[in-house]
Amino acid sequence: MLADYENAFRHVRIRREDGILELQLHSDDGPLVWGDGPHEELGRVFTAVGRDPDNRVVIVTGTGSDFIASMDASWVGAMTAQKWNRIYTHGQRLLTQLLDIEVPVISAINGPAKIHAEIALLADIVVAEQSSYLQDAPHFKFGTVPGDGVHVIWPMLLGPNRGRSFLLTGERIGADEAKRLGIVAEVVPDGQSLAAAWKWARQLARQSDITLRYTRAALTQNLKQQLLAQLGFGLALEGLTAYETWPDA
């Protein structure tokens, strides 16, 4: 039931209307700052959402003018086995539990998505605002293997060669190019992504519960298989470079 979890999370504002559940990512009512808190919490959010049979469509969006604004210093410091085990565990749950949501998911990219853009791109319908862009900013540029699922998702979305180049160079892909490449379904003026997502959600919600759930299962099966095969391996390699990158910080 919604009452069991709607006020249980620090970094996600939750509301539901006519079976459409909106998840708004935030930090202290402003744009989400990525760190240990959101990394741990979002897997639990997606688990709770996926277990609620009254959710028929899910919308994920950010706050203000950024989908995810920046990273905090919660992970900076000497790496330990215990610290990486926490990152590894929550990194597995973050994406697998998102894909385990059993109804269609729509993302409203309300601004730059340069950290964990894959959260938005794993949605079934992706809406982006004109000024938004997609990037993998925090990994290879800073000496860390991009192994927390981005190594699976970006080559699938962009093709093997462009996907590998994207992760190695840290390039930015603007909203219009993202639509041309087929990774964004719709580009809308700034400030209108959430309204557009709700329009799509209401359209999808006309279908029966069983159609919504079975279609989501069919559309995500390949993604689940790819992550199952590769996510743990990628995180293990990322962990090894984390020891090298943050030895004494």
Side-chain angles (χ1 to χ4, degrees), residues 78-97:
M79 183 53 63
T80 66
Q82 292 76 19
K83 179 186 279 189
W84 187 256
N85 181 61
R86 180 175 174 84
I87 294 173
Y88 176 90
T89 299
H90 297 149
Q92 291 263 29
R93 293 173 181 169
L94 174 68
L95 300 184
T96 57
Q97 294 302 316

Side-chain angles (χ1 to χ4, degrees), residues 195-212:
W198 273 89
K199 181 179 178 180
W200 283 112
R202 291 189 178 98
Q203 180 176 321
L204 297 184
R206 296 172 186 167
Q207 298 291 344
S208 69
D209 287 352
I210 198 166
T211 298
L212 292 172

Side-chain angles (χ1 to χ4, degrees), residues 30-182:
L32 184 68
V33 177
W34 192 261
D36 179 66
H39 195 239
E40 181 275 333
E41 189 173 85
L42 283 183
R44 292 192 290 113
V45 172
F46 298 146
T47 298
V49 169
R51 289 176 176 173
D52 187 344
D54 293 327
N55 294 326
R56 306 188 68 245
V57 181
V58 174
I59 296 172
V60 181
T61 191
T63 299
S65 58
D66 293 90
F67 184 73
I68 296 177
S70 60
M71 289 186 68
D72 67 19
S74 63
W75 293 333
V76 175
M79 183 53 63
T80 66
Q82 292 76 19
K83 179 186 279 189
W84 187 256
N85 181 61
R86 180 175 174 84
I87 294 173
Y88 176 90
T89 299
H90 297 149
Q92 291 263 29
R93 293 173 181 169
L94 174 68
L95 300 184
T96 57
Q97 294 302 316
L98 173 55
L99 287 174
D100 278 345
I101 293 175
E102 296 181 350
V103 296
V105 177
I106 301 169
S107 63
I109 303 178
N110 57 301
K114 55 188 178 181
I115 300 167
H116 282 292
E118 75 278 3
I119 293 173
L121 298 180
L122 284 175
D124 305 295
I125 297 177
V126 182
V127 179
E129 295 186 6
Q130 187 69 56
S131 66
S132 63
Y133 61 83
L134 307 170
Q135 186 181 22
D136 184 60
H139 289 113
F140 190 77
K141 178 180 178 181
F142 296 99
T144 303
V145 171
D148 58 359
V150 294
H151 66 301
V152 179
I153 294 161
W154 281 107
M156 290 182 70
L157 293 174
L158 295 176
N161 283 6
R162 180 69 184 274
R164 287 180 292 172
S165 173
F166 174 84
L167 293 171
L168 288 169
T169 63
E171 72 168 302
R172 295 180 177 184
I173 297 178
D176 287 332
E177 184 182 3
K179 183 178 180 182
R180 181 182 65 80
L181 292 169

Side-chain angles (χ1 to χ4, degrees), residues 6 9-14 22-26 41-42 45:
E6 64 178 329
F9 302 106
R10 178 181 175 187
H11 298 284
V12 185
R13 188 177 296 107
I14 300 174
E22 179 186 298
L23 304 176
Q24 185 179 31
L25 312 181
H26 73 96
E41 189 173 85
L42 283 183
V45 172

